[in-house]
Structure formats: structure tokens, C-alpha cells
Tab-separated table of all heavy atoms in Angstrom:
chain	number	residue	atom	x	y	z
A	2	MET	N	5.940	-21.962	1.267
A	2	MET	CA	5.904	-21.500	2.633
A	2	MET	C	5.374	-22.615	3.521
A	2	MET	O	4.389	-23.259	3.197
A	2	MET	CB	5.016	-20.261	2.732
A	2	MET	CG	4.998	-19.655	4.063
A	2	MET	SD	4.115	-18.074	3.957
A	2	MET	CE	4.385	-17.523	5.578
A	3	GLU	N	5.997	-22.806	4.636
A	3	GLU	CA	5.594	-23.863	5.550
A	3	GLU	C	4.362	-23.459	6.339
A	3	GLU	O	4.154	-22.300	6.644
A	3	GLU	CB	6.720	-24.158	6.535
A	3	GLU	CG	7.938	-24.761	5.909
A	3	GLU	CD	8.989	-25.030	6.971
A	3	GLU	OE1	8.617	-25.443	8.089
A	3	GLU	OE2	10.155	-24.807	6.681
A	4	GLU	N	3.557	-24.462	6.667
A	4	GLU	CA	2.418	-24.218	7.542
A	4	GLU	C	2.769	-24.705	8.936
A	4	GLU	O	3.430	-25.725	9.106
A	4	GLU	CB	1.184	-24.942	7.024
A	4	GLU	CG	0.644	-24.344	5.749
A	4	GLU	CD	-0.680	-24.962	5.358
A	4	GLU	OE1	-1.438	-25.386	6.250
A	4	GLU	OE2	-0.945	-25.026	4.166
A	5	PHE	N	2.341	-23.967	9.929
A	5	PHE	CA	2.629	-24.321	11.306
A	5	PHE	C	1.358	-24.790	11.993
A	5	PHE	O	0.288	-24.214	11.786
A	5	PHE	CB	3.213	-23.129	12.056
A	5	PHE	CG	4.540	-22.693	11.512
A	5	PHE	CD1	4.621	-21.625	10.641
A	5	PHE	CD2	5.703	-23.363	11.856
A	5	PHE	CE1	5.837	-21.223	10.129
A	5	PHE	CE2	6.917	-22.967	11.354
A	5	PHE	CZ	6.992	-21.897	10.479
A	6	ASP	N	1.505	-25.805	12.825
A	6	ASP	CA	0.382	-26.314	13.598
A	6	ASP	C	0.285	-25.501	14.885
A	6	ASP	O	1.131	-25.615	15.760
A	6	ASP	CB	0.594	-27.802	13.900
A	6	ASP	CG	-0.559	-28.387	14.681
A	6	ASP	OD1	-1.650	-27.774	14.694
A	6	ASP	OD2	-0.377	-29.459	15.286
A	7	VAL	N	-0.740	-24.672	14.977
A	7	VAL	CA	-0.895	-23.818	16.155
A	7	VAL	C	-1.939	-24.378	17.110
A	7	VAL	O	-2.382	-23.691	18.014
A	7	VAL	CB	-1.253	-22.366	15.759
A	7	VAL	CG1	-0.098	-21.700	15.068
A	7	VAL	CG2	-2.504	-22.330	14.930
A	8	SER	N	-2.328	-25.610	16.918
A	8	SER	CA	-3.364	-26.188	17.770
A	8	SER	C	-2.800	-26.801	19.050
A	8	SER	O	-3.561	-27.149	19.940
A	8	SER	CB	-4.150	-27.243	16.994
A	8	SER	OG	-3.278	-28.304	16.610
A	9	THR	N	-1.509	-26.902	19.166
A	9	THR	CA	-0.925	-27.473	20.379
A	9	THR	C	-0.908	-26.415	21.487
A	9	THR	O	-0.862	-25.210	21.209
A	9	THR	CB	0.509	-27.970	20.120
A	9	THR	OG1	1.315	-26.844	19.797
A	9	THR	CG2	0.552	-28.992	19.003
A	10	PRO	N	-0.933	-26.833	22.731
A	10	PRO	CA	-0.889	-25.870	23.838
A	10	PRO	C	0.376	-25.012	23.822
A	10	PRO	O	0.324	-23.816	24.135
A	10	PRO	CB	-0.939	-26.743	25.092
A	10	PRO	CG	-1.529	-28.034	24.661
A	10	PRO	CD	-1.139	-28.196	23.218
A	11	GLU	N	1.493	-25.586	23.431
A	11	GLU	CA	2.745	-24.822	23.372
A	11	GLU	C	2.669	-23.742	22.301
A	11	GLU	O	3.110	-22.613	22.505
A	11	GLU	CB	3.936	-25.753	23.095
A	11	GLU	CG	4.239	-26.742	24.180
A	11	GLU	CD	3.375	-28.003	24.108
A	11	GLU	OE1	2.665	-28.196	23.092
A	11	GLU	OE2	3.390	-28.774	25.075
A	12	ALA	N	2.094	-24.084	21.164
A	12	ALA	CA	1.969	-23.114	20.076
A	12	ALA	C	1.009	-21.991	20.459
A	12	ALA	O	1.252	-20.831	20.150
A	12	ALA	CB	1.513	-23.813	18.800
A	13	GLU	N	-0.076	-22.357	21.116
A	13	GLU	CA	-1.028	-21.331	21.557
A	13	GLU	C	-0.374	-20.369	22.543
A	13	GLU	O	-0.577	-19.161	22.466
A	13	GLU	CB	-2.259	-21.987	22.175
A	13	GLU	CG	-3.149	-22.679	21.160
A	13	GLU	CD	-4.351	-23.345	21.813
A	13	GLU	OE1	-4.667	-23.026	22.985
A	13	GLU	OE2	-4.973	-24.175	21.143
A	14	GLU	N	0.403	-20.911	23.463
A	14	GLU	CA	1.099	-20.068	24.431
A	14	GLU	C	2.113	-19.158	23.730
A	14	GLU	O	2.251	-17.981	24.054
A	14	GLU	CB	1.800	-20.935	25.486
A	14	GLU	CG	2.493	-20.141	26.569
A	14	GLU	CD	1.553	-19.235	27.351
A	14	GLU	OE1	0.383	-19.610	27.563
A	14	GLU	OE2	1.993	-18.138	27.736
A	15	ALA	N	2.825	-19.726	22.757
A	15	ALA	CA	3.790	-18.923	21.993
A	15	ALA	C	3.084	-17.811	21.220
A	15	ALA	O	3.585	-16.681	21.153
A	15	ALA	CB	4.579	-19.820	21.050
A	16	MET	N	1.929	-18.115	20.653
A	16	MET	CA	1.167	-17.101	19.911
A	16	MET	C	0.682	-15.997	20.861
A	16	MET	O	0.725	-14.816	20.518
A	16	MET	CB	-0.024	-17.740	19.191
A	16	MET	CG	0.374	-18.649	18.053
A	16	MET	SD	1.190	-17.765	16.725
A	16	MET	CE	-0.197	-16.943	16.014
A	17	ARG	N	0.225	-16.374	22.071
A	17	ARG	CA	-0.193	-15.371	23.041
A	17	ARG	C	0.964	-14.469	23.432
A	17	ARG	O	0.819	-13.257	23.525
A	17	ARG	CB	-0.771	-16.059	24.283
A	17	ARG	CG	-2.254	-16.245	24.204
A	17	ARG	CD	-2.847	-16.635	25.560
A	17	ARG	NE	-3.656	-17.822	25.343
A	17	ARG	CZ	-3.310	-19.069	25.649
A	17	ARG	NH1	-2.198	-19.316	26.266
A	17	ARG	NH2	-4.103	-20.068	25.373
A	18	ALA	N	2.116	-15.073	23.659
A	18	ALA	CA	3.290	-14.282	24.046
A	18	ALA	C	3.716	-13.356	22.915
A	18	ALA	O	4.046	-12.189	23.144
A	18	ALA	CB	4.439	-15.213	24.434
A	19	ALA	N	3.705	-13.866	21.688
A	19	ALA	CA	4.090	-13.044	20.534
A	19	ALA	C	3.101	-11.898	20.336
A	19	ALA	O	3.501	-10.764	20.055
A	19	ALA	CB	4.160	-13.909	19.286
A	20	THR	N	1.822	-12.182	20.492
A	20	THR	CA	0.808	-11.142	20.344
A	20	THR	C	0.990	-10.056	21.404
A	20	THR	O	0.878	-8.861	21.112
A	20	THR	CB	-0.605	-11.749	20.449
A	20	THR	OG1	-0.745	-12.753	19.447
A	20	THR	CG2	-1.680	-10.700	20.270
A	21	ALA	N	1.281	-10.466	22.630
A	21	ALA	CA	1.508	-9.492	23.695
A	21	ALA	C	2.706	-8.606	23.372
A	21	ALA	O	2.666	-7.391	23.591
A	21	ALA	CB	1.713	-10.203	25.022
A	22	LEU	N	3.768	-9.199	22.837
A	22	LEU	CA	4.953	-8.412	22.466
A	22	LEU	C	4.643	-7.436	21.340
A	22	LEU	O	5.056	-6.276	21.379
A	22	LEU	CB	6.101	-9.335	22.057
A	22	LEU	CG	6.794	-10.073	23.192
A	22	LEU	CD1	7.807	-11.071	22.631
A	22	LEU	CD2	7.475	-9.112	24.135
A	23	VAL	N	3.921	-7.894	20.351
A	23	VAL	CA	3.565	-7.023	19.222
A	23	VAL	C	2.719	-5.853	19.707
A	23	VAL	O	2.951	-4.703	19.327
A	23	VAL	CB	2.828	-7.826	18.129
A	23	VAL	CG1	2.191	-6.902	17.108
A	23	VAL	CG2	3.776	-8.791	17.453
A	24	LEU	N	1.753	-6.126	20.574
A	24	LEU	CA	0.909	-5.052	21.095
A	24	LEU	C	1.713	-4.084	21.951
A	24	LEU	O	1.484	-2.874	21.916
A	24	LEU	CB	-0.259	-5.627	21.893
A	24	LEU	CG	-1.312	-6.357	21.068
A	24	LEU	CD1	-2.342	-6.987	21.988
A	24	LEU	CD2	-1.966	-5.433	20.067
A	25	GLU	N	2.654	-4.595	22.708
A	25	GLU	CA	3.490	-3.736	23.544
A	25	GLU	C	4.348	-2.804	22.690
A	25	GLU	O	4.532	-1.634	23.016
A	25	GLU	CB	4.386	-4.596	24.435
A	25	GLU	CG	5.156	-3.823	25.453
A	25	GLU	CD	5.958	-4.736	26.362
A	25	GLU	OE1	5.493	-5.850	26.648
A	25	GLU	OE2	7.051	-4.319	26.764
A	26	VAL	N	4.819	-3.305	21.581
A	26	VAL	CA	5.629	-2.486	20.675
A	26	VAL	C	4.749	-1.509	19.908
A	26	VAL	O	5.124	-0.365	19.667
A	26	VAL	CB	6.417	-3.394	19.700
A	26	VAL	CG1	7.043	-2.581	18.591
A	26	VAL	CG2	7.473	-4.189	20.455
A	27	ALA	N	3.549	-1.935	19.538
A	27	ALA	CA	2.678	-1.121	18.685
A	27	ALA	C	2.029	0.040	19.438
A	27	ALA	O	1.718	1.055	18.827
A	27	ALA	CB	1.596	-1.997	18.066
A	28	ARG	N	1.818	-0.075	20.736
A	28	ARG	CA	1.136	0.991	21.477
A	28	ARG	C	1.846	2.341	21.366
A	28	ARG	O	1.209	3.328	21.024
A	28	ARG	CB	0.954	0.587	22.935
A	28	ARG	CG	-0.312	-0.173	23.150
A	28	ARG	CD	-0.616	-0.391	24.630
A	28	ARG	NE	-1.345	-1.643	24.747
A	28	ARG	CZ	-0.887	-2.735	25.324
A	28	ARG	NH1	0.268	-2.736	25.894
A	28	ARG	NH2	-1.614	-3.822	25.357
A	29	PRO	N	3.147	2.423	21.657
A	29	PRO	CA	3.800	3.733	21.508
A	29	PRO	C	3.769	4.235	20.067
A	29	PRO	O	3.621	5.425	19.821
A	29	PRO	CB	5.228	3.484	21.964
A	29	PRO	CG	5.177	2.254	22.794
A	29	PRO	CD	4.046	1.453	22.247
A	30	LEU	N	3.891	3.324	19.123
A	30	LEU	CA	3.851	3.712	17.711
A	30	LEU	C	2.466	4.260	17.358
A	30	LEU	O	2.360	5.276	16.671
A	30	LEU	CB	4.197	2.518	16.823
A	30	LEU	CG	4.230	2.791	15.329
A	30	LEU	CD1	5.286	3.833	14.996
A	30	LEU	CD2	4.495	1.505	14.575
A	31	ALA	N	1.424	3.608	17.848
A	31	ALA	CA	0.061	4.089	17.578
A	31	ALA	C	-0.132	5.483	18.170
A	31	ALA	O	-0.772	6.338	17.565
A	31	ALA	CB	-0.963	3.114	18.153
A	32	ARG	N	0.428	5.709	19.347
A	32	ARG	CA	0.327	7.029	19.978
A	32	ARG	C	1.025	8.088	19.139
A	32	ARG	O	0.521	9.182	18.947
A	32	ARG	CB	0.935	6.975	21.379
A	32	ARG	CG	1.086	8.306	22.031
A	32	ARG	CD	0.085	8.513	23.141
A	32	ARG	NE	0.373	9.726	23.874
A	32	ARG	CZ	-0.232	10.874	23.632
A	32	ARG	NH1	-1.132	10.956	22.697
A	32	ARG	NH2	0.062	11.943	24.328
A	33	LYS	N	2.201	7.735	18.620
A	33	LYS	CA	2.932	8.686	17.777
A	33	LYS	C	2.159	8.974	16.504
A	33	LYS	O	2.092	10.121	16.052
A	33	LYS	CB	4.317	8.132	17.439
A	33	LYS	CG	5.273	8.168	18.591
A	33	LYS	CD	6.617	7.602	18.204
A	33	LYS	CE	7.552	7.549	19.389
A	33	LYS	NZ	8.836	6.949	19.063
A	34	VAL	N	1.571	7.948	15.904
A	34	VAL	CA	0.790	8.143	14.678
A	34	VAL	C	-0.424	9.018	14.972
A	34	VAL	O	-0.742	9.928	14.207
A	34	VAL	CB	0.369	6.784	14.080
A	34	VAL	CG1	-0.671	6.963	12.984
A	34	VAL	CG2	1.580	6.047	13.548
A	35	GLU	N	-1.097	8.756	16.090
A	35	GLU	CA	-2.259	9.569	16.464
A	35	GLU	C	-1.867	11.021	16.677
A	35	GLU	O	-2.541	11.936	16.201
A	35	GLU	CB	-2.875	9.004	17.745
A	35	GLU	CG	-4.081	9.762	18.228
A	35	GLU	CD	-4.586	9.224	19.562
A	35	GLU	OE1	-4.301	8.067	19.901
A	35	GLU	OE2	-5.266	9.999	20.258
A	36	LEU	N	-0.765	11.252	17.363
A	36	LEU	CA	-0.289	12.608	17.590
A	36	LEU	C	0.090	13.284	16.278
A	36	LEU	O	-0.240	14.446	16.043
A	36	LEU	CB	0.912	12.576	18.542
A	36	LEU	CG	1.470	13.912	18.981
A	36	LEU	CD1	0.421	14.718	19.733
A	36	LEU	CD2	2.687	13.697	19.865
A	37	TYR	N	0.748	12.546	15.386
A	37	TYR	CA	1.127	13.079	14.082
A	37	TYR	C	-0.114	13.467	13.285
A	37	TYR	O	-0.166	14.533	12.683
A	37	TYR	CB	1.954	12.042	13.322
A	37	TYR	CG	2.271	12.434	11.909
A	37	TYR	CD1	3.257	13.370	11.636
A	37	TYR	CD2	1.583	11.882	10.841
A	37	TYR	CE1	3.555	13.738	10.345
A	37	TYR	CE2	1.873	12.243	9.545
A	37	TYR	CZ	2.857	13.162	9.301
A	37	TYR	OH	3.138	13.522	8.017
A	38	GLU	N	-1.120	12.578	13.279
A	38	GLU	CA	-2.341	12.872	12.525
A	38	GLU	C	-3.053	14.092	13.087
A	38	GLU	O	-3.592	14.897	12.345
A	38	GLU	CB	-3.274	11.662	12.556
A	38	GLU	CG	-2.795	10.519	11.709
A	38	GLU	CD	-3.650	9.274	11.864
A	38	GLU	OE1	-4.443	9.186	12.836
A	38	GLU	OE2	-3.520	8.372	11.030
A	39	ARG	N	-3.047	14.216	14.407
A	39	ARG	CA	-3.715	15.357	15.030
A	39	ARG	C	-2.997	16.665	14.721
A	39	ARG	O	-3.620	17.688	14.482
A	39	ARG	CB	-3.775	15.144	16.541
A	39	ARG	CG	-5.027	15.707	17.131
A	39	ARG	CD	-5.149	15.538	18.607
A	39	ARG	NE	-4.953	14.166	19.040
A	39	ARG	CZ	-4.549	13.810	20.242
A	39	ARG	NH1	-4.295	14.731	21.133
A	39	ARG	NH2	-4.404	12.554	20.564
A	40	THR	N	-1.674	16.658	14.755
A	40	THR	CA	-0.923	17.894	14.547
A	40	THR	C	-0.676	18.194	13.075
A	40	THR	O	-0.283	19.299	12.739
A	40	THR	CB	0.437	17.843	15.266
A	40	THR	OG1	1.175	16.729	14.781
A	40	THR	CG2	0.249	17.745	16.755
A	41	LEU	N	-0.913	17.243	12.199
A	41	LEU	CA	-0.705	17.477	10.767
A	41	LEU	C	-1.599	18.600	10.280
A	41	LEU	O	-1.186	19.426	9.478
A	41	LEU	CB	-0.969	16.201	9.963
A	41	LEU	CG	-0.684	16.285	8.476
A	41	LEU	CD1	0.787	16.600	8.245
A	41	LEU	CD2	-1.057	14.995	7.790
A	42	GLY	N	-2.802	18.672	10.795
A	42	GLY	CA	-3.708	19.754	10.411
A	42	GLY	C	-3.126	21.113	10.738
A	42	GLY	O	-3.265	22.060	9.971
A	43	LEU	N	-2.455	21.210	11.864
A	43	LEU	CA	-1.840	22.472	12.239
A	43	LEU	C	-0.681	22.821	11.325
A	43	LEU	O	-0.415	23.991	11.077
A	43	LEU	CB	-1.355	22.404	13.696
A	43	LEU	CG	-2.441	22.199	14.742
A	43	LEU	CD1	-1.812	22.051	16.118
A	43	LEU	CD2	-3.432	23.333	14.725
A	44	ALA	N	0.010	21.826	10.820
A	44	ALA	CA	1.138	22.073	9.927
A	44	ALA	C	0.665	22.549	8.555
A	44	ALA	O	1.395	23.242	7.859
A	44	ALA	CB	1.974	20.800	9.778
A	45	VAL	N	-0.534	22.192	8.168
A	45	VAL	CA	-1.049	22.544	6.846
A	45	VAL	C	-1.563	23.975	6.805
A	45	VAL	O	-1.529	24.627	5.767
A	45	VAL	CB	-2.165	21.547	6.445
A	45	VAL	CG1	-2.869	21.982	5.187
A	45	VAL	CG2	-1.581	20.159	6.272
A	46	ILE	N	-2.004	24.502	7.930
A	46	ILE	CA	-2.592	25.848	7.971
A	46	ILE	C	-1.659	26.926	7.411
A	46	ILE	O	-2.090	27.716	6.564
A	46	ILE	CB	-3.069	26.184	9.401
A	46	ILE	CG1	-4.260	25.297	9.744
A	46	ILE	CG2	-3.431	27.649	9.543
A	46	ILE	CD1	-4.704	25.374	11.189
A	47	PRO	N	-0.384	27.003	7.823
A	47	PRO	CA	0.487	28.041	7.236
A	47	PRO	C	0.659	27.902	5.726
A	47	PRO	O	0.734	28.908	5.019
A	47	PRO	CB	1.823	27.839	7.950
A	47	PRO	CG	1.500	27.120	9.193
A	47	PRO	CD	0.293	26.289	8.896
A	48	VAL	N	0.680	26.686	5.237
A	48	VAL	CA	0.808	26.471	3.792
A	48	VAL	C	-0.420	27.019	3.071
A	48	VAL	O	-0.302	27.708	2.051
A	48	VAL	CB	1.000	24.965	3.480
A	48	VAL	CG1	0.974	24.707	1.988
A	48	VAL	CG2	2.300	24.468	4.091
A	49	LEU	N	-1.594	26.740	3.595
A	49	LEU	CA	-2.824	27.238	2.969
A	49	LEU	C	-2.906	28.758	3.025
A	49	LEU	O	-3.328	29.401	2.057
A	49	LEU	CB	-4.044	26.611	3.645
A	49	LEU	CG	-4.183	25.100	3.496
A	49	LEU	CD1	-5.389	24.609	4.286
A	49	LEU	CD2	-4.299	24.697	2.039
A	50	ILE	N	-2.500	29.344	4.140
A	50	ILE	CA	-2.506	30.808	4.261
A	50	ILE	C	-1.544	31.417	3.252
A	50	ILE	O	-1.869	32.398	2.578
A	50	ILE	CB	-2.157	31.235	5.702
A	50	ILE	CG1	-3.295	30.845	6.632
A	50	ILE	CG2	-1.870	32.722	5.784
A	50	ILE	CD1	-2.998	31.051	8.105
A	51	ARG	N	-0.369	30.824	3.113
A	51	ARG	CA	0.622	31.330	2.147
A	51	ARG	C	0.061	31.275	0.733
A	51	ARG	O	0.199	32.217	-0.041
A	51	ARG	CB	1.906	30.515	2.243
A	51	ARG	CG	2.978	30.967	1.275
A	51	ARG	CD	4.250	30.121	1.458
A	51	ARG	NE	5.279	30.543	0.560
A	51	ARG	CZ	5.444	30.082	-0.684
A	51	ARG	NH1	4.621	29.182	-1.154
A	51	ARG	NH2	6.408	30.520	-1.450
A	52	ARG	N	-0.578	30.154	0.392
A	52	ARG	CA	-1.162	30.033	-0.953
A	52	ARG	C	-2.232	31.086	-1.192
A	52	ARG	O	-2.314	31.669	-2.275
A	52	ARG	CB	-1.754	28.636	-1.144
A	52	ARG	CG	-0.718	27.567	-1.308
A	52	ARG	CD	-1.364	26.232	-1.532
A	52	ARG	NE	-0.368	25.179	-1.620
A	52	ARG	CZ	-0.658	23.910	-1.729
A	52	ARG	NH1	-1.915	23.509	-1.763
A	52	ARG	NH2	0.300	23.012	-1.806
A	53	ALA	N	-3.052	31.339	-0.187
A	53	ALA	CA	-4.105	32.348	-0.331
A	53	ALA	C	-3.507	33.737	-0.522
A	53	ALA	O	-3.968	34.523	-1.363
A	53	ALA	CB	-5.019	32.321	0.888
A	54	ILE	N	-2.469	34.052	0.253
A	54	ILE	CA	-1.810	35.357	0.129
A	54	ILE	C	-1.187	35.514	-1.252
A	54	ILE	O	-1.327	36.567	-1.898
A	54	ILE	CB	-0.761	35.542	1.244
A	54	ILE	CG1	-1.468	35.695	2.588
A	54	ILE	CG2	0.139	36.736	0.959
A	54	ILE	CD1	-0.536	35.667	3.787
A	55	LEU	N	-0.504	34.470	-1.726
A	55	LEU	CA	0.126	34.545	-3.053
A	55	LEU	C	-0.915	34.679	-4.152
A	55	LEU	O	-0.721	35.448	-5.112
A	55	LEU	CB	1.010	33.325	-3.293
A	55	LEU	CG	2.296	33.255	-2.474
A	55	LEU	CD1	3.014	31.941	-2.716
A	55	LEU	CD2	3.201	34.429	-2.810
A	56	ALA	N	-2.029	33.966	-4.039
A	56	ALA	CA	-3.088	34.072	-5.048
A	56	ALA	C	-3.672	35.477	-5.055
A	56	ALA	O	-3.900	36.066	-6.126
A	56	ALA	CB	-4.175	33.040	-4.777
A	57	ARG	N	-3.887	36.032	-3.881
A	57	ARG	CA	-4.419	37.397	-3.790
A	57	ARG	C	-3.424	38.407	-4.357
A	57	ARG	O	-3.796	39.334	-5.070
A	57	ARG	CB	-4.738	37.723	-2.314
A	57	ARG	CG	-5.279	39.085	-2.110
A	57	ARG	CD	-6.669	39.207	-2.679
A	57	ARG	NE	-7.157	40.556	-2.429
A	57	ARG	CZ	-7.890	41.233	-3.265
A	57	ARG	NH1	-8.283	40.694	-4.385
A	57	ARG	NH2	-8.258	42.450	-2.983
A	58	TRP	N	-2.155	38.212	-4.043
A	58	TRP	CA	-1.107	39.102	-4.542
A	58	TRP	C	-1.063	39.080	-6.071
A	58	TRP	O	-0.931	40.123	-6.700
A	58	TRP	CB	0.239	38.703	-3.950
A	58	TRP	CG	1.375	39.530	-4.443
A	58	TRP	CD1	2.337	39.151	-5.319
A	58	TRP	CD2	1.662	40.890	-4.116
A	58	TRP	NE1	3.207	40.174	-5.551
A	58	TRP	CE2	2.815	41.266	-4.820
A	58	TRP	CE3	1.054	41.827	-3.301
A	58	TRP	CZ2	3.359	42.536	-4.726
A	58	TRP	CZ3	1.599	43.077	-3.206
A	58	TRP	CH2	2.744	43.421	-3.921
A	59	ARG	N	-1.192	37.908	-6.656
A	59	ARG	CA	-1.188	37.798	-8.126
A	59	ARG	C	-2.376	38.544	-8.721
A	59	ARG	O	-2.245	39.214	-9.741
A	59	ARG	CB	-1.216	36.328	-8.542
A	59	ARG	CG	0.108	35.650	-8.385
A	59	ARG	CD	0.085	34.246	-8.986
A	59	ARG	NE	1.084	33.438	-8.324
A	59	ARG	CZ	0.849	32.424	-7.515
A	59	ARG	NH1	-0.387	32.032	-7.286
A	59	ARG	NH2	1.827	31.778	-6.938
A	60	ARG	N	-3.551	38.411	-8.094
A	60	ARG	CA	-4.739	39.114	-8.602
A	60	ARG	C	-4.553	40.632	-8.526
A	60	ARG	O	-4.930	41.359	-9.438
A	60	ARG	CB	-5.982	38.697	-7.806
A	60	ARG	CG	-6.542	37.407	-8.306
A	60	ARG	CD	-7.891	37.117	-7.664
A	60	ARG	NE	-7.768	35.803	-7.057
A	60	ARG	CZ	-8.010	35.495	-5.806
A	60	ARG	NH1	-8.441	36.404	-4.974
A	60	ARG	NH2	-7.858	34.287	-5.365
A	61	VAL	N	-3.970	41.098	-7.438
A	61	VAL	CA	-3.729	42.537	-7.273
A	61	VAL	C	-2.765	43.021	-8.343
A	61	VAL	O	-2.981	44.073	-8.956
A	61	VAL	CB	-3.202	42.843	-5.849
A	61	VAL	CG1	-2.665	44.262	-5.752
A	61	VAL	CG2	-4.291	42.600	-4.822
A	62	ARG	N	-1.695	42.276	-8.594
A	62	ARG	CA	-0.712	42.674	-9.617
A	62	ARG	C	-1.336	42.674	-11.007
A	62	ARG	O	-1.052	43.551	-11.813
A	62	ARG	CB	0.505	41.731	-9.596
A	62	ARG	CG	1.412	42.027	-8.451
A	62	ARG	CD	2.733	41.337	-8.522
A	62	ARG	NE	2.901	40.434	-9.647
A	62	ARG	CZ	3.821	39.498	-9.713
A	62	ARG	NH1	4.658	39.327	-8.728
A	62	ARG	NH2	3.945	38.716	-10.755
A	63	GLU	N	-2.192	41.676	-11.301
A	63	GLU	CA	-2.839	41.637	-12.612
A	63	GLU	C	-3.806	42.795	-12.784
A	63	GLU	O	-3.964	43.333	-13.880
A	63	GLU	CB	-3.569	40.309	-12.788
A	63	GLU	CG	-2.645	39.129	-12.989
A	63	GLU	CD	-3.391	37.816	-13.050
A	63	GLU	OE1	-4.630	37.814	-12.991
A	63	GLU	OE2	-2.712	36.778	-13.140
A	64	ASP	N	-4.478	43.210	-11.727
A	64	ASP	CA	-5.434	44.318	-11.799
A	64	ASP	C	-4.711	45.637	-12.061
A	64	ASP	O	-5.275	46.550	-12.673
A	64	ASP	CB	-6.237	44.431	-10.496
A	64	ASP	CG	-7.228	43.298	-10.344
A	64	ASP	OD1	-7.511	42.618	-11.355
A	64	ASP	OD2	-7.712	43.081	-9.207
A	65	ARG	N	-3.478	45.781	-11.625
A	65	ARG	CA	-2.722	47.008	-11.831
A	65	ARG	C	-2.266	47.172	-13.276
A	65	ARG	O	-1.964	48.259	-13.719
A	65	ARG	CB	-1.488	47.035	-10.911
A	65	ARG	CG	-1.836	47.235	-9.481
A	65	ARG	CD	-0.598	47.326	-8.633
A	65	ARG	NE	-0.912	47.456	-7.224
A	65	ARG	CZ	-0.057	47.431	-6.260
A	65	ARG	NH1	1.232	47.294	-6.555
A	65	ARG	NH2	-0.433	47.554	-5.029
A	66	ARG	N	-2.185	46.096	-13.997
A	66	ARG	CA	-1.686	46.168	-15.392
A	66	ARG	C	-2.690	46.703	-16.329
A	66	ARG	O	-3.717	46.891	-16.447
A	66	ARG	CB	-1.252	44.774	-15.882
A	66	ARG	CG	-0.021	44.320	-15.162
A	66	ARG	CD	0.380	42.977	-15.663
A	66	ARG	NE	1.500	42.492	-14.861
A	66	ARG	CZ	2.035	41.323	-14.999
A	66	ARG	NH1	1.590	40.496	-15.916
A	66	ARG	NH2	3.030	40.958	-14.254
């Protein structure tokens, strides 16, 4: 892999511009990830409720036998 000399003023300017572009692209993605993480908890609640209902139903059926 080649090494690049980033100590020149042109390279520093290019790195600043590239960093600005990366941050501009990453901001909406970070927002989507944050929203996904926040709402993921809400998506899990119905699954947990279903599991609890099924576990209770199994116990009730076993008690009847």
C-alpha cells in the first residue's frame, strides 16, 4: 500500500474537503441509526408480550392435564 504525504498545503486542503464531505454524508445516516435504535425498543415489545402469553398458555394447558 502506498503512503501519501499529507504535509503539503494542497494535501491538507484536500483532507479538509474530504472530511467535510464524509461528515455531510454521515450526518443523515447517523440520524437514521439513532432513530432506528430509539424505535427498536418499541418493535421488541410485541415480541416479548407474545412470548409471555405463549408461555402462560403452555402453563395453563399443562395444569389442565
Side-chain angles (χ1 to χ4, degrees):
M2 184 172 185
E3 293 181 38
E4 290 188 30
F5 296 99
D6 181 18
V7 292
S8 62
T9 64
E11 294 83 10
E13 289 179 16
E14 183 59 34
M16 291 296 286
R17 268 193 231 103
T20 302
L22 286 174
V23 168
L24 290 175
E25 187 176 326
V26 169
R28 272 189 210 113
L30 182 61
R32 171 107 172 97
K33 287 180 184 177
V34 168
E35 180 184 338
L36 185 61
Y37 174 77
E38 288 174 345
R39 214 180 308 155
T40 58
L41 185 61
L43 297 176
V45 172
I46 292 171
V48 173
L49 296 177
I50 291 173
R51 180 179 181 272
R52 287 182 183 175
I54 291 171
L55 289 175
R57 180 70 179 143
W58 178 253
R59 284 188 205 111
R60 278 189 235 125
V61 168
R62 284 191 357 198
E63 288 175 3
D64 289 344
R65 289 183 183 173
R66 291 180 186 176

